[in-house]
Amino acid sequence: MITASEPSWIAPFTGLSPRQFDKLITALRREGADPVRKGRPWSLPLEDRVLLVAAYWRTNLTLRQLAPLFGVSKSAAGRLIDGLGPALALQQRKRFRRDTVLIVDGTVRHEALDDRAGVKGLRHRAVAAVRLKLRAA
């Protein structure tokens, strides 16, 4: 199982050193990303949840592939990403320092160029929807 308690898993999935990852976790706790709530608690600690979100964003693994690596269900992994993702997202900004490392989510989809009736075959083009997700440093 992948866990943030093993430092060797942090760098490949987040692009951060363990020290930077600890600073990120501290900042998230300070901002209230891990509140105590009523009901059933998360099955993963905050560190593992952040690692799961980063792994989802940095790899092309689906929730079905990623969830067993962290020992959670597919639906729980989806809830984790939906819940914690906005806390990790950057506020809109125009410029970053030159040495800033950014985590980017790029999704490729195909669009039909000509869908009129009677046209033989559709021509498609690939369109990349790129969103900045997380500043890593």
Side-chain angles (χ1 to χ4, degrees):
M1 239 173 50
I2 295 174
T3 178
S5 61
E6 182 63 42
S8 62
W9 289 113
I10 294 173
F13 288 114
T14 64
L16 301 172
S17 70
R19 184 169 175 253
Q20 291 171 320
F21 186 75
D22 288 341
K23 284 184 178 181
L24 175 63
I25 298 299
T26 302
L28 287 170
R29 281 205 170 100
R30 206 173 324 126
E31 292 174 9
D34 195 23
V36 177
R37 298 186 217 185
K38 293 181 179 179
R40 188 172 181 175
W42 291 108
S43 61
L44 295 175
L46 180 63
E47 293 84 354
D48 289 348
R49 287 183 274 155
V50 171
L51 189 60
L52 186 145
V53 172
Y56 179 73
W57 284 345
R58 285 182 55 108
T59 65
N60 282 329
L61 296 175
T62 63
L63 291 177
R64 186 166 288 170
Q65 295 166 324
L66 193 62
L69 298 175
F70 286 86
V72 295
S73 69
K74 179 180 70 115
S75 55
R79 286 191 299 270
L80 287 170
I81 291 165
D82 290 342
L84 193 56
L88 289 171
L90 290 174
Q91 293 178 355
Q92 193 168 12
R93 196 169 166 180
K94 293 186 180 189
R95 292 186 173 264
F96 293 95
R97 287 189 355 222
R98 272 202 173 154
D99 59 343
T100 302
V101 177
L102 302 171
I103 297 174
V104 176
D105 171 35
T107 307
V108 177
R109 66 180 197 277
H110 296 278
E111 289 185 353
L113 294 177
D114 193 356
D115 57 354
R116 290 176 291 156
V119 176
K120 287 189 177 183
L122 292 176
R123 295 177 307 162
H124 292 274
R125 70 175 175 186
V127 177
V130 179
R131 296 181 308 265
L132 180 64
K133 292 292 193 171
L134 174 70
R135 188 182 82 207

